[in-house]
Amino acid sequence: MLARLVSAIERLVFGRRGALLLALAVVTLVMGSFAVRLQMTAGFGKQLPVGHEYTDTFVKYQNVLFGANRLVVVVHARQGDIWTPQALRRLNDVTQALLYLPGVDRRSVSSLWTPNTRVMQVTEEGYEARDVIGGDITPDKLDAATVARIRDNVIQGGYVGSLVANDSSGAMVTADLLDADPRSGAPTDYIALGPRIEKELRAKFEDAAIEIRIIGFAKQISDIAEGAKGVALFFALAFVLTAFAVYWYCRSWAFTAAALVCSLVSLVWQFGSLQLLGYGLDPLAVLVPFLVFAIGVSHGVQQINFIVREIGDGATPLAAARASFGALLVPGTMALLTAFVGFATLLLIPIPMIRELAITASLGVAYKIVTNLVMLPVVASYVRPSAGYGEHMRRVREVRARAVVALARLAEPASARLVVLGGVAVFALAVWGSRDRHIGYVQPGAPELRDSARYNRDAVGIAEKFSVGLDVLTVVNETAPDSCYDHRKMVYIDDLAWELANTAGVIGTAALPGLVKLGAAGFNEGNPKWGDMPRDARSMASFIGLVGEGSGLYDPRCTVLPINVYLADHKAETIGRVVAVVKHYRASEKIDGVTVRLASGNAGVQAATNEVLEATELPMMLYVYATIAVLVYLTYRDWRAVIACCLPLTVATFIGYWFMKAQGIGLTVATLPVMVLAVGIGVDYAFYIYNRLQSHLADGVAIVPAFGRALSETGIATVFTALTLSVGVATWVFSPLKFQADMGLLLAFMFMLNMVMAITLLPALAVTIDTLIPRRKPVHRPFMAH
């Protein structure tokens, strides 16, 4: 029945091929008009996992607590320290400029010049509270004595290490950013904000004496977007390399143009659809279009390979195109459906950015069914090669076949068993080597950027000079009203803060109980032995009043008592240790009236992302493999085919995980789609080779010569495709974006690995199974038009 359906579709397509191409051209023009309007967009909220405990905590208290979307600017003295009138004036200028940047929550701006920076001092008359830089001090009236007084206030207020560097070489200005304008509701354009930060802060205030260091999501994503513009150059380079490679393979510029143009048409449709759906192209998803293009090239080469082979055997271009359409429609559709399902399973991950990426990739793959399996054969049917082209390509094919047909010996029973045993050994090693693989980021700074990037140099410089940085995980302690005056509850929170402060990777904590104990010591001439939690509620209230609500360590009703945990970095290992300490404490040390919640801060958001990726990766891969198994069985009606096609993919996947671990590449929102794509490309190779193998077996050809014919017909194209795509993506290692370089390395490895698995382990498995469990029924012929 399916064969008749394919035949009917073939007659319909080629019976009206001119009208079909005209309709596709019109669709391409219309979609192109929308595609040119597509813009690169990014949003902090898109990176927050939906429905996760940590994200719910962040959203609930984002207007109360330390923000995860924070911008940190440091005024750093290139020589000497910050304690000069010129440096303090520059700090004031930066503070004022930051206040009026778009998207900045002005209430959250903190520096030595803002009124929320207070100092408490114990005097003979009691406590004295004052601003670090009082209202009576103006930038133009700074002198040596005033600067000395400000320095003393900073030391007495405990701001060394937080707002001022430990060696006094710089001072910090911090501000939370709003994801949307509170009045208009318009989302903050982070990609446009980045250049403004550069222009209005760094370019304006940095000079030979002062260096401006800037970190934060807005700056990071802007730098990534700037680097992503270079992706177009690498895409163009890969496109040119692919064009020359395809020409070398088919020796026809017309067929080369047909294959590449049809692959590009689907990208135009993809971009146009994204614009129509109201999406933009996220900087972290900028590689997806090339990945989809790579899938198109893989299928395009198979189509051109079949057409050229038919022409070499004497067929006309039209007859060759029809034969290619009928023979490859089913296996090609199966492969593309598998890739489609693979990308669609990314929708299981409740992170808006990944779901948007899933829609982007799924659309592109779905369009490939039309552009590469239907449009390409129709376009190729109009090509008029030279008179001797077919005979020339037949001789070229025979020469190339000698290089791969020797691999047919792997299908001999004795050799097949050795290959299978080798595959089992490699699989066991890969499973062992990939255990405890990295989930999340494994490097400090922005992992998408190279270590030499200005952003990462700024991040390292700030981490070295300050005891606090951008990497903060906030533990929220929910309590009943007025719980901050309850000795028992405050001790409970203080004990948790102590546990966290003594966790590896934590450089400091800030919580209300610690400041209360500091106040108690201050009331007793600063003697540390009196730094204990008061049992009297009125004493507790007096000390808390000195802290001030601007600290962000409690709310007016004392129902939210957070602990800010300052981390040395945002590596998955560091964040995981802190989260584990909190979970263990709240499970083993319970107390009525206090609910310990994880987690706010940028590290809290990253912890949620890591946990979501780890929890959804296995189900997602199982869905992909289940889809492959079902499609293979429905097509070939043989469980042997399922094993032969799926097991090599499984081995390749675990070797890929092992490779990622060895290269220090964590499983992130950028790498997960690559692993899904690798499965999709591997399926392409497996389906095309197994389809031809099954066809020859159905004709009664023995397994060894059948595999030799399959290799000569599709194996050459498979090897060529893997080499071409690997060379194209290998150029990415020179990209200024580290994540693009890492993905180029990973993709090149996976393209080659899946090709090796398809031409070695797949036939060896097929032969070994047939030897151990002989077939009782004739081999089922693959679906194709007749």
Side-chain angles (χ1 to χ4, degrees):
M1 180 178 177
L2 183 57
R4 290 196 297 272
L5 176 62
V6 172
S7 296
I9 295 173
E10 178 197 321
R11 290 192 297 272
L12 177 65
V13 167
F14 286 90
R16 297 174 176 80
R17 53 182 179 149
L20 176 63
L21 286 183
L22 179 61
L24 293 176
V26 171
V27 171
T28 303
L29 288 174
V30 172
M31 298 301 279
S33 66
F34 290 102
V36 295
R37 306 177 200 171
L38 185 68
Q39 295 182 341
M40 197 172 289
T41 61
F44 182 79
K46 293 199 302 181
Q47 299 196 7
L48 303 179
V50 177
H52 194 278
E53 174 198 350
Y54 308 168
T55 307
D56 292 343
T57 300
F58 166 76
V59 172
K60 183 176 181 179
Y61 296 109
Q62 61 182 334
N63 295 323
V64 179
L65 305 176
F66 184 104
N69 188 9
R70 174 158 288 203
L71 188 67
V72 175
V73 183
V74 170
V75 177
H76 176 74
R78 298 183 189 272
Q79 300 291 333
D81 56 38
I82 201 73
W83 304 123
T84 65
Q86 295 80 8
L88 289 178
R89 290 192 192 102
R90 190 65 54 85
L91 179 64
N92 177 70
D93 293 339
V94 170
T95 302
Q96 296 302 315
L98 186 59
L99 272 167
Y100 294 99
L101 277 176
V104 169
D105 184 353
R106 297 180 186 175
R107 302 168 301 170
S108 68
V109 178
S110 295
S111 86
L112 299 182
W113 284 95
T114 55
N116 55 5
T117 307
R118 307 270 291 169
V119 57
M120 308 294 178
Q121 185 178 10
V122 180
T123 67
E124 294 84 353
E125 300 176 356
Y127 266 96
E128 178 186 336
R130 60 184 182 274
D131 292 342
V132 170
I133 301 180
D136 59 329
I137 300 176
T138 57
D140 58 336
K141 294 182 179 180
L142 288 172
D143 53 30
T146 304
V147 171
R149 191 164 80 244
I150 294 172
R151 182 179 57 203
D152 291 342
N153 286 342
V154 167
I155 296 172
Q156 293 167 6
Y159 292 106
V160 175
S162 56
L163 287 180
V164 174
N166 290 312
D167 61 356
S168 297
S169 61
M172 181 182 291
V173 187
T174 65
D176 288 344
L177 298 181
L178 302 170
D179 214 28
D181 189 301
R183 290 173 294 183
S184 66
T188 299
D189 189 344
Y190 293 101
I191 295 177
L193 181 59
R196 286 197 63 173
I197 292 172
E198 281 289 324
K199 179 181 178 181
E200 299 183 22
L201 294 180
R202 199 185 322 261
K204 188 174 182 180
F205 299 117
E206 188 173 73
D207 56 27
I210 296 294
E211 179 186 12
I212 304 297
R213 296 172 173 173
I214 309 170
I215 58 175
F217 172 77
K219 190 69 183 70
Q220 175 182 342
I221 201 69
S222 174
D223 288 358
I224 293 172
E226 185 64 29
K229 295 177 182 177
V231 171
L233 176 62
F234 288 96
F235 181 87
L237 177 60
F239 181 84
V240 170
L241 290 174
T242 302
F244 280 108
V246 174
Y247 173 76
W248 176 86
Y249 184 78
C250 68
R251 309 296 170 90
S252 168
W253 284 116
F255 284 134
T256 299
L260 297 182
V261 169
C262 289
S263 293
L264 288 175
V265 164
S266 65
L267 291 186
V268 175
W269 294 4
Q270 180 185 23
F271 289 155
S273 299
L274 288 178
Q275 174 66 20
L276 286 171
L277 292 171
Y279 293 120
L281 189 60
D282 194 282
L284 293 177
V286 74
L287 299 182
V288 171
F290 181 81
L291 302 183
V292 174
F293 174 76
I295 292 175
V297 170
S298 175
H299 290 274
V301 169
Q302 292 289 348
Q303 291 280 357
I304 296 300
N305 173 68
F306 198 106
I307 292 170
V308 170
R309 187 175 73 247
E310 291 292 311
I311 292 175
D313 291 339
T316 64
L318 176 58
R322 296 186 71 148
S324 175
F325 179 91
L328 300 183
L329 180 63
V330 171
T333 301
M334 285 171 53
L336 287 172
L337 282 176
T338 302
F340 175 85
V341 171
F343 283 120
T345 54
L346 292 173
L347 292 170
L348 294 172
I349 302 176
I351 300 176
M353 194 204 80
I354 294 185
R355 287 179 169 174
E356 187 174 310
L357 181 150
I359 294 172
T360 302
S362 299
L363 282 173
V365 171
Y367 289 145
K368 291 294 178 190
I369 296 176
V370 177
T371 60
N372 286 85
L373 301 184
V374 178
M375 182 180 181
L376 176 55
V378 173
V379 171
S381 70
Y382 285 99
V383 174
R384 293 292 176 264
S386 59
Y389 176 76
E391 178 61 24
H392 172 68
M393 290 308 300
R394 186 182 63 79
R395 291 195 300 269
V396 169
R397 189 175 75 249
E398 289 174 353
V399 172
R400 291 171 178 170
R402 296 179 195 143
V404 294
V405 170
L407 289 171
R409 293 184 176 180
L410 295 177
E412 296 175 354
S415 300
R417 293 190 191 97
L418 291 176
V419 172
V420 171
L421 287 175
V424 171
V426 170
F427 178 65
L429 280 174
V431 172
W432 177 83
S434 63
R435 58 196 173 87
D436 300 324
R437 63 185 183 275
H438 308 296
I439 304 293
Y441 299 131
V442 296
Q443 299 294 333
E448 296 85 3
L449 303 172
R450 293 191 181 273
D451 293 340
S452 58
R454 179 63 189 267
Y455 182 93
N456 280 340
R457 286 189 283 116
D458 285 353
V460 170
I462 292 173
E464 289 176 347
K465 300 292 185 180
F466 291 81
S467 298
V468 297
L470 189 66
D471 298 318
V472 181
L473 186 144
T474 301
V475 180
V476 178
N477 298 287
E478 293 179 337
T479 63
D482 298 331
S483 291
C484 54
Y485 310 126
D486 187 321
H487 174 269
R488 188 172 60 97
K489 294 176 181 176
M490 290 287 278
V491 168
Y492 177 82
I493 295 170
D494 188 51
D495 288 346
L496 175 56
W498 186 89
E499 292 279 355
L500 291 168
N502 289 277
T503 301
V506 175
I507 57 179
T509 61
L512 183 62
L515 295 182
V516 168
K517 293 195 317 186
L518 186 64
F523 260 104
N524 291 274
E525 299 179 349
N527 193 326
K529 75 176 184 179
W530 295 103
D532 197 7
M533 202 74 65
R535 295 181 179 274
D536 180 65
R538 288 175 296 179
S539 297
M540 190 89 76
S542 64
F543 299 145
I544 291 172
L546 295 172
V547 174
E549 293 179 16
S551 65
L553 297 178
Y554 67 100
D555 67 330
R557 299 178 60 211
C558 275
T559 59
V560 181
L561 303 175
I563 303 173
N564 291 331
V565 186
Y566 301 99
L567 308 180
D569 52 59
H570 53 242
K571 294 180 183 178
E573 183 182 6
T574 303
I575 296 174
R577 276 196 301 267
V578 173
V579 169
V581 168
V582 176
K583 288 183 175 180
H584 179 267
Y585 185 85
R586 71 181 182 184
S588 60
E589 304 289 338
K590 296 182 179 180
I591 184 174
D592 292 336
V594 180
T595 301
V596 180
R597 290 187 57 166
L598 287 162
S600 188
N602 69 306
V605 171
Q606 187 59 52
T609 302
N610 293 348
E611 290 188 7
V612 164
L613 289 177
E614 187 172 15
T616 56
E617 180 205 10
L618 179 59
M620 186 186 66
M621 282 298 185
L622 290 177
Y623 279 125
V624 173
Y625 278 98
T627 302
I628 297 172
V630 170
L631 287 175
V632 171
Y633 186 79
L634 289 177
T635 303
Y636 301 115
R637 302 178 191 176
D638 188 352
W639 58 268
R640 295 172 174 80
V642 176
I643 295 176
C645 289
C646 291
L647 284 188
L649 288 176
T650 306
V651 175
T653 298
F654 276 92
I655 295 176
Y657 286 141
W658 189 11
F659 180 80
M660 288 175 63
K661 182 180 178 181
Q663 293 295 317
I665 302 173
L667 187 69
T668 66
V669 295
T671 58
L672 188 59
V674 173
M675 294 307 294
V676 174
L677 170 79
V679 175
I681 290 289
V683 167
D684 293 352
Y685 301 156
F687 281 166
Y688 281 119
I689 290 177
Y690 198 86
N691 197 68
R692 297 308 302 167
L693 176 64
Q694 192 83 348
S695 178
H696 292 307
L697 291 175
D699 289 336
V701 180
I703 185 72
V704 175
F707 180 56
R709 293 184 188 181
L711 276 180
S712 66
E713 294 167 352
T714 62
I716 299 173
T718 298
V719 174
F720 167 78
T721 301
L723 288 171
T724 301
L725 295 179
S726 296
V727 171
V729 298
T731 61
W732 294 1
V733 298
F734 303 106
S735 170
L737 291 178
K738 186 177 185 300
F739 90 97
Q740 185 186 3
D742 288 343
M743 292 310 96
L745 186 65
L746 180 59
L747 276 172
F749 179 79
M750 294 304 295
F751 286 155
M752 294 299 296
L753 179 62
N754 277 298
M755 178 268 291
V756 171
M757 289 293 132
I759 64 176
T760 58
L761 188 55
L762 185 153
L765 279 169
V767 172
T768 302
I769 295 171
D770 272 4
T771 303
L772 296 176
I773 308 175
R775 297 174 185 265
R776 296 182 178 180
K777 296 180 180 180
V779 176
H780 174 70
R781 177 175 294 280
F783 294 115
M784 60 180 67
H786 296 287

